[in-house]
Amino acid sequence: MLKNSSLIHSVNEITGANAEAKSTDNSVSNFRQKFEAKHRAADGHYVRSKAEMLIDNWLYMAGIVHAYERKLPIEEDLYCDFYLPTGKVYIEFWGLEDDPKYADRKKVKQDLYAKYGFNLIELNDDDVQNLDDVLPRMLLKFDIKAY
C-alpha cells in the first residue's frame, strides 16, 4: 500500500511535497509551463483556456461539484481536465485539434480512458459554444442532472 503511486501522489499533493516531483516530470511540467493556467473561473479555479473557463463556470453555475486537472487513479501519469465525483465522470476538452502532437496525446488519453473503463465526456469547440444544450444531455448518460 505504501508503494501505491496514486496514494503517494495524493499525500504529496495534500502536504505540498509534490512541487519537487512535478519539476522532474518532463511531459506534464512542460505542458503546464507552456500552457499556464491564467484564466480564473467563477469558483476560483485557474484554468488554461477560455473554453475551459466556460466549462468550469457552467459546471459551477449548475451546482455540479467538480475538480480541475485531477490526476487519474492509474499508474500512468495522466491528468483529466475536469473530474465530477458524482458519477465518477471525467471531462476532456479537445481544443487543439489541428496540432499533430496534440492529436497523438489525445489518442493516448482516449486509449487510457477506454483501457480503465472510466466514464468520459469529450467536448470540442462546437460543444463549448452550446454547453446549455450539449452538456446536460451528456451528463444524463451518467445520471447527473444539471437542472
Side-chain angles (χ1 to χ4, degrees), residues 121-140:
I121 291 175
E122 299 180 83
L123 299 172
N124 59 36
D125 284 323
D126 290 337
D127 296 328
V128 171
Q129 300 304 314
N130 299 300
L131 283 176
D132 286 332
D133 296 330
V134 173
L135 203 46
R137 280 186 283 124
M138 292 179 167
L139 290 169
L140 271 177

Side-chain angles (χ1 to χ4, degrees), residues 15-19 41-42 63-64 77 85-86 100-101 106 114 131:
T15 62
N18 67 339
I64 297 173
D77 195 27
T86 304
K101 286 183 182 179
K106 174 182 175 179
L131 283 176

Side-chain angles (χ1 to χ4, degrees), residues 59-70:
L59 293 168
Y60 176 68
M61 298 305 284
I64 297 173
V65 175
H66 62 282
Y68 178 69
E69 281 197 345
R70 181 171 178 200

Side-chain angles (χ1 to χ4, degrees), residues 99-122:
D99 182 346
K101 286 183 182 179
Y102 187 85
D104 292 343
R105 184 171 169 264
K106 174 182 175 179
K107 176 74 172 119
V108 168
K109 287 181 91 170
Q110 287 173 321
D111 290 346
L112 287 171
Y113 280 111
K115 174 182 175 182
Y116 291 101
F118 290 137
N119 296 330
L120 176 62
I121 291 175
E122 299 180 83

